Amino acid sequence: MIAVKPAAWRQAVAPILATLPADATVISVMAGVRAADLSAALPGRAVARVMPTTAVAQAQGVAAIWSDDAAARALAHALFDPVADTVDLDEEVLIDAATAVAGSAPAFFYALAQALAAAGVAEGLTPDAAERLTRGALRSAGSGAATEATLEALIARIASTGGTTQAGLMAFAEGHGLASAASTAVAAAVRRAQGLAGD
C-alpha cells in the first residue's frame, strides 16, 4: 500500500522496488497519481486506487475504489470494507470526483461549520458557545448521515415549512449560492487532482 503525499510517491517507491515481489498488488491511496504511472514505475504489478476519508481511522469512513484488475479490486475491498462504506467506480477518471466529493469534503464541512460559528458570534454568541454549538450540529448531521435516509429526507426532517431552517436554506439558495459554492469547490479539487497527474 502506498499512502504518501502525491508529490513524494516516486521517492517513496524507489527504495522498495528492488525487494517488492513481482506479483505484488499495489494499493494506491494517493490523489492525482494515475494507475498507468504506478504501473510504469512498478512494472508487472496489478494496481488498485482507493480514496478513503479520514474517518476510516474510526471505522466510519467511506472509500472509493477503482481497478481494472478484478483481484486487485477484491484485495482493496478486503482491506477497506471493514473500515469504510466502499463505493466501486467504473472508470479511473472518476477517482478525481470521488476525492473532491468525499476525500476533500470533510474539510469543506468544517469550513462551513467555522463560518457558521463566526456568524453565531456575530449574532451575539460567545466564541466558545458558538463553536460548541456548531460542533454539536456537525455531530447531529453525522448521526443522520449514518442512517439510510436520503439527504433530501434528512433536510426535510429538520426544515419545516415556514420555519427558521427553511428561511436559512432559502438564504443559502437565493442570496449566497451554496450550490454554486459547492460546485466551484468540487470542480477546483478535481482540477487540482488532474494537475497533480499532469493531465
Side-chain angles (χ1 to χ4, degrees):
M1 182 178 295
I2 305 173
V4 298
K5 295 295 184 184
W9 77 269
R10 291 184 187 278
Q11 297 94 311
V13 163
I16 65 169
L17 186 54
T19 57
L20 189 67
D23 62 349
T25 296
V26 177
I27 307 293
S28 168
V29 185
M30 298 180 291
V33 180
R34 300 291 181 247
D37 293 326
L38 288 163
S39 293
L42 301 163
R45 283 94 173 176
V47 174
R49 294 188 61 195
V50 181
M51 185 48 56
T53 59
T54 55
V56 297
Q58 293 82 38
Q60 296 180 357
V62 64
I65 295 176
W66 176 84
S67 181
D68 61 2
D69 181 281
R73 185 185 292 257
L75 179 59
H77 274 282
L79 290 169
F80 284 91
D81 285 354
V83 295
D85 176 15
T86 50
V87 178
D88 279 304
L89 302 178
D90 294 330
E91 301 175 53
E92 182 181 12
V93 68
L94 296 175
I95 283 280
D96 295 338
T99 299
V101 170
S104 299
F108 301 159
F109 292 135
Y110 297 147
L112 176 60
Q114 187 177 48
L116 290 169
V121 170
E123 292 293 336
L125 293 171
T126 66
D128 178 67
E131 179 159 337
R132 287 174 59 196
L133 289 165
T134 304
R135 284 174 176 267
L138 274 175
R139 289 192 299 273
S140 295
S143 67
T147 70
E148 296 298 319
T150 65
L151 294 176
E152 184 177 359
L154 291 170
I155 293 169
R157 187 180 298 168
I158 301 168
S160 56
T161 302
T164 58
T165 303
Q166 187 181 58
L169 289 170
M170 288 176 65
F172 270 137
E174 296 172 6
H176 306 288
L178 182 61
S180 176
S183 178
T184 299
V186 168
V190 168
R191 284 195 305 273
R192 181 58 185 144
Q194 292 168 343
L196 288 170
D199 293 350

